[in-house]
Amino acid sequence: MRRLWAAWVVMAALGAASDAEAQLSMASLTGQATVHVGVANGRDDRGSTLSIGGSLAAIEERGWGAEVDAGFASDNDGRDGGLDVQSYMANFVGMLPSGRVRPYGTIGAGILRIRACLDGCT
């Protein structure tokens, strides 16, 4: 009896199959990629450390899209009074699709991993 019921469920699911779209629409996408390399300032006596990161965004022609960011600054794992920072973000973006001025809004979530030590750390 259970096999008959399972067969009916499978046939109903397959009979209701339809096309799946992976995008919000079949409109064309515009993408942007940004990389940054710079310095992050530490304590006055320690100077600065290298900071690297990047951002990828894809926006469809109707103004909807997503953005992913990552960044990293390291000062020897924070063991000598330095600072390590890692950041990761994912955002939803909505913007006015055309015009000279294109207001936009974004909402998302992210993670910051911070490791720091002031003095005498192991």
Side-chain angles (χ1 to χ4, degrees):
M1 182 68 169
R2 288 186 183 199
R3 286 186 177 176
L4 181 60
W5 180 252
W8 279 106
V9 169
V10 168
M11 288 191 312
L14 291 176
S18 63
D19 292 339
E21 294 182 12
Q23 296 174 228
L24 295 173
S25 71
M26 296 307 289
S28 63
L29 294 174
T30 301
Q32 295 105 11
T34 304
V35 176
H36 79 265
V37 177
V39 293
N41 293 327
R43 297 187 329 199
D44 291 338
D45 61 341
R46 296 210 33 98
S48 56
T49 185
L50 181 66
S51 172
I52 59 172
S55 175
L56 294 172
I59 309 287
E60 69 171 3
E61 67 184 21
R62 293 190 310 175
W64 302 108
E67 176 185 28
V68 179
D69 301 312
F72 179 72
S74 177
D75 188 14
N76 74 5
D77 294 329
R79 290 186 292 252
D80 295 340
L83 173 66
D84 283 350
V85 179
Q86 296 176 6
S87 66
Y88 306 97
M89 294 179 61
N91 303 305
F92 171 77
V93 179
M95 69 172 44
L96 194 63
S98 62
R100 288 188 92 162
V101 177
R102 297 175 59 183
Y104 72 95
T106 182
I107 187 168
I111 296 172
L112 278 177
R113 180 184 177 271
I114 301 172
R115 185 175 184 177
C117 180
L118 296 177
D119 285 318
C121 302
T122 57

